[in-house]
Each structure stands twice: as structure tokens, then as C-alpha cells.
Amino acid sequence: VEFRNVSFSYPGGDEPILKDVSFFVPAGKKLAIVGQNGAGKTTIIKLLTRLYDPTGGAVLADGVDLRDYDLDSVRAAMSVTFQDFVRYDITASDNIGLGRVAEIDNQIEIESAAKKGGAHEVLTKLPQSYDTILGKQFDEGVDLSGGEWQQVAISRAFMSDAQVLILDEPTSALDALKEQQLYERFAELTKDK
């Protein structure tokens, strides 16, 4: 993946969020982007996933501008967990299974993803385990803490078979021990991503 002289301004925005940003990430490598709030970290993710296209420069994959690829193919190759992830008021199993809809009924894959994402222990303690409705929209629903919801969202990302795993502040609601454990699992589980 390469960002080549990328600039970007949000529609209606006066100031560019990114200006002439360039970097290269070889296949199979991991990259952490660190910066102050408002520095453009999430914007980089949105450009990489083609939620937006650059207003200047190009984002490339294997030397080809992402705009030249089929949009569905680009998005299918990437799994993203944003810091403002979605909480679905459905079963815990389906919450994770949405990471790969074709496997939403594959309980073995769902539990494997939950173990990778750190949600398995929490979910097995729920009244109906993975069949428990999450959230309080329905009377029988059980709400989770912010960190537990985040583990479900991360597990959803691990459910995906995408080539690129993108995490936007994935540990913001986790305590220090859970954060360390999660990063250790990331290192092990993303060797081929």
C-alpha cells in the first residue's frame, strides 16, 4: 500500500486535513499511525478503504491506484474496526458473524473469532451465551460495558477473511491488561495479514 502525495479536504471544508502525505507499507507488514487528535489518522483509513477518494495524489495497492479497482473488491479485501463501531441489538453470535455474512451461521468460526478478539469469555457468561440478545432495545437484551462491546467489534473484524485488517483506536475502552493481551494476540493472529 502506498500513499503518494495524498491531499484531502472534506466536502465543504476550507482547510486540508492531509497535505502531500506519502508513505509505503510493504505487503505483510504492520503499521501504527500515531498522532494528535485531528491529525488525520482516521482520514487515512477512510481513504485507504475508499470511503473517500483523495483530492490530490493517489492511494495505491500493488502499484495501482485504488480508483482503478472495483470498489466492492477493495472493500472486501479490508476489515475495519472504527473507534465509533456499531452496536447491533441482535444476538452476540450474529454481532460477530456480521464480520463475514456468508459464515454467520458457522458457530465454530464465530467462537474462534470471539477468542481472537477477546469476547469469548464475556459471551459465555451471558444468560444464553452466544444466543443472548445484546443491547437494551429489547426486553430480553443484555447490555455490555464499553470495553466488552469493543471486544465484540474487534471479534467481528477477526471474523472477516480480509487481507488487510485496520483498527482505528481499537483499545480505547479497554483496561491496560486487556489492551496488552489484545496487542499480543494481534501480533500472533495477523502474521499473514
Side-chain angles (χ1 to χ4, degrees), residues 19-171:
K19 187 173 183 183
D20 295 323
V21 173
S22 296
F23 63 87
F24 177 76
V25 183
K29 296 296 181 183
K30 284 133 189 77
L31 171 72
I33 300 175
V34 180
Q36 297 177 338
N37 289 341
K41 301 178 300 289
T42 299
T43 300
I44 287 172
I45 292 169
K46 289 178 179 180
L47 292 170
L48 180 59
T49 56
R50 286 218 48 220
L51 295 175
Y52 290 98
D53 288 324
T55 51
V59 179
L60 310 163
D62 294 329
V64 177
D65 192 314
L66 286 183
R67 292 172 283 209
D68 293 336
Y69 285 100
D70 174 70
L71 183 58
D72 291 335
S73 297
V74 170
R75 292 188 180 157
M78 300 182 193
S79 177
V80 184
T81 300
F82 285 104
Q83 59 187 327
D84 54 350
F85 56 87
V86 178
R87 302 172 186 211
Y88 296 104
D89 287 71
I90 55 179
T91 66
S93 183
D94 286 349
N95 254 287
I96 295 170
L98 286 173
R100 187 167 22 144
V101 175
E103 296 293 325
I104 200 164
D105 293 323
N106 186 335
Q107 197 61 31
I108 293 170
E109 288 292 321
I110 289 168
E111 289 184 25
S112 174
K115 288 174 184 172
K116 292 173 185 176
H120 179 72
E121 186 177 312
V122 170
L123 300 181
T124 56
K125 293 178 182 174
L126 294 174
Q128 282 113 11
S129 189
Y130 282 81
D131 293 328
T132 303
I133 301 278
L134 300 183
K136 296 305 286 178
Q137 183 174 345
F138 301 103
D139 291 339
E140 69 273 17
V142 174
D143 210 2
L144 303 176
S145 72
E148 291 167 339
W149 270 112
Q150 195 162 36
Q151 289 173 312
V152 168
I154 292 165
S155 298
R156 189 182 307 138
F158 276 117
M159 185 70 186
S160 170
D161 59 354
Q163 298 172 12
V164 179
L165 178 62
I166 302 170
L167 305 161
D168 183 12
E169 296 190 39
T171 61

Side-chain angles (χ1 to χ4, degrees), residues 6-19:
V6 171
S7 296
F8 181 75
S9 298
Y10 282 100
D14 296 333
E15 293 294 317
I17 302 298
L18 301 174
K19 187 173 183 183

